[in-house]
């Protein structure tokens, strides 16, 4: 059985005769211990606080029976790992829309939202530890003035907390409707008219961060952690 925050996506599952329902990952309406396995792909990185990210993992663990397992994928800060670029970076050069993407700075659907190929009261996880981890393993710049940076598609990340623009394609707009405009990179003042652009919040994870968050819960143990094409991944076992 599947669940998602988006009713439209759940409706698509229904049309394909899959079992799915709308819910919030922080509060899943299912009995504790009712699942043999749970999968969370490209979800937790959309929660904007450490407390919520931890609470989401705790809720995932609640659903598992003892001995049950969970697989979690989140977007990685490190899009180059062991001298290898992720598919997300590589696709910039191979994209048919290369010129359009580079000129507008808008993003197509992020790689790890396309499928698996794609923090609260934890005693071992404090805000100070989180900040230390960010500084040491990422060298990420702090966000000033409460304004989040907007990511440029198919490029490396320069901040852990950012907005990823989605350029809505295939939609039609009436002539009298206003179009969004985006400043062309490179200092140019030229403005281009675009289809609607929506910005989604992401917290991209540093190496070891997801594993450390999971390790702060005493109800699970980390069986395995690994890197997969621009994502940090863990497999948990319910104790």
């Amino acid at each position: 059985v599947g669940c998602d925050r988006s009713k439209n996506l759940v409706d698509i599952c229904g049309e394909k005769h899959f079992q799915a329902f709308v819910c919030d990952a922080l509060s899943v309406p299912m009995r504790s211990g009712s699942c043999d396995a749970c999968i969370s792909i490209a979800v937790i990185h959309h929660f904007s606080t450490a407390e919520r990210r931890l609470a989401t993992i705790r809720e995932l663990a609640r659903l598992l029976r003892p001995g049950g397992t969970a697989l979690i994928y989140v977007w990685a800060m490190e899009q180059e790992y062991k001298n290898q670029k992720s598919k997300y970076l590589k696709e910039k050069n191979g994209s048919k829309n290369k010129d359009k993407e580079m000129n507008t700075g808008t993003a197509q659907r992020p790689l790890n939202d396309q499928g698996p190929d794609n923090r609260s009261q934890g005693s071992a996880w404090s805000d100070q530890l989180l900040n230390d981890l960010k500084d040491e393993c990422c060298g990420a710049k702090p966000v000033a003035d409460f304004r989040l940076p907007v990511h440029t598609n198919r490029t490396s990340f320069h901040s852990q907390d950012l907005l990823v623009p989605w350029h809505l394609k295939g939609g039609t707009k009436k002539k009298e409707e206003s179009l969004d405009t985006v400043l062309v990179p490179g200092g140019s003042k030229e403005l281009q008219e675009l289809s609607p652009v929506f910005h989604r919040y992401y917290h991209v994870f540093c190496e070891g961060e997801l594993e450390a968050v999971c390790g702060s819960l005493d109800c699970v143990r980390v069986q395995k952690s690994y890197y997969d094409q621009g994502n940090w991944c863990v497999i948990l076992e319910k104790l």
Side-chain angles (χ1 to χ4, degrees):
V1 62
C3 57
D4 198 278
R5 187 65 181 84
S6 167
K7 180 181 183 300
N8 289 340
L9 292 180
V10 170
D11 286 345
I12 292 173
C13 291
E15 292 168 2
K16 297 178 180 292
H17 307 292
F18 293 120
Q19 298 184 66
F21 59 92
V22 176
C23 81
D24 189 320
L26 289 168
S27 181
V28 180
M30 295 179 67
R31 295 190 308 274
S32 298
S34 60
C35 298
D36 295 311
C38 293
I39 299 175
S40 174
I41 304 294
V43 174
I44 295 173
H45 56 217
H46 288 301
F47 286 94
S48 61
T49 68
E51 290 77 14
R52 288 182 177 181
R53 292 190 287 273
L54 177 61
T56 308
I57 298 172
R58 182 183 288 111
E59 179 70 354
L60 198 66
R62 180 189 67 81
L63 299 173
L64 290 172
R65 63 166 176 78
T69 56
L71 172 66
I72 301 174
Y73 266 58
V74 295
W75 217 352
M77 178 85 174
E78 301 85 355
Q79 290 297 306
E80 291 191 43
Y81 188 66
K82 294 183 178 179
N83 297 320
Q84 293 291 323
K85 290 185 177 181
S86 68
K87 287 183 179 180
Y88 176 72
L89 294 184
K90 287 180 179 178
E91 285 185 4
K92 179 175 183 178
N93 294 326
S95 172
K96 295 180 180 179
N97 296 319
K98 174 182 174 183
D99 294 334
K100 182 177 181 180
E101 290 178 359
M102 292 181 66
N103 288 337
T104 64
T106 58
Q108 306 306 319
R109 191 170 184 177
L111 173 66
N112 65 339
D113 273 1
Q114 294 176 349
D117 196 34
N118 236 325
R119 279 172 237 224
S120 162
Q121 304 157 12
S123 58
W125 191 260
S126 66
D127 288 339
Q128 185 60 49
L129 177 59
L130 171 61
N131 292 331
D132 291 345
L133 182 60
K134 286 183 181 180
D135 294 340
E136 292 175 8
C137 72
C138 294
K141 298 178 181 179
V143 178
D145 302 327
F146 303 100
R147 291 177 293 184
L148 291 172
V150 177
H151 177 62
T152 300
N153 187 43
R154 308 298 177 189
T155 64
S156 297
F157 295 115
H158 301 291
S159 172
Q160 274 195 278
D161 298 282
L162 43 82
L163 299 175
V164 175
W166 281 39
H167 185 193
L168 185 64
K169 298 197 304 180
T172 57
K173 295 181 71 67
K174 297 179 181 179
K175 290 183 179 181
E176 62 269 20
E177 291 184 30
S178 62
L179 295 174
D180 288 0
T181 57
V182 171
L183 186 63
V184 176
S188 171
K189 294 183 179 179
E190 176 188 358
L191 292 176
Q192 292 188 352
E193 291 186 341
L194 303 170
S195 299
V197 176
F198 300 94
H199 293 85
R200 300 187 69 191
Y201 170 84
Y202 280 80
H203 171 85
V204 290
F205 281 69
C206 291
E207 182 174 7
E209 183 180 353
L210 177 61
E211 185 177 1
V213 177
C214 294
S216 71
L217 296 173
D218 57 9
C219 58
V220 297
R221 73 175 182 90
V222 177
Q223 281 189 338
K224 182 181 179 181
S225 62
Y226 58 97
Y227 180 89
D228 181 22
Q229 288 297 339
N231 298 278
W232 287 114
C233 322
V234 297
I235 298 176
L236 303 177
E237 180 184 3
K238 177 71 171 290
L239 300 177

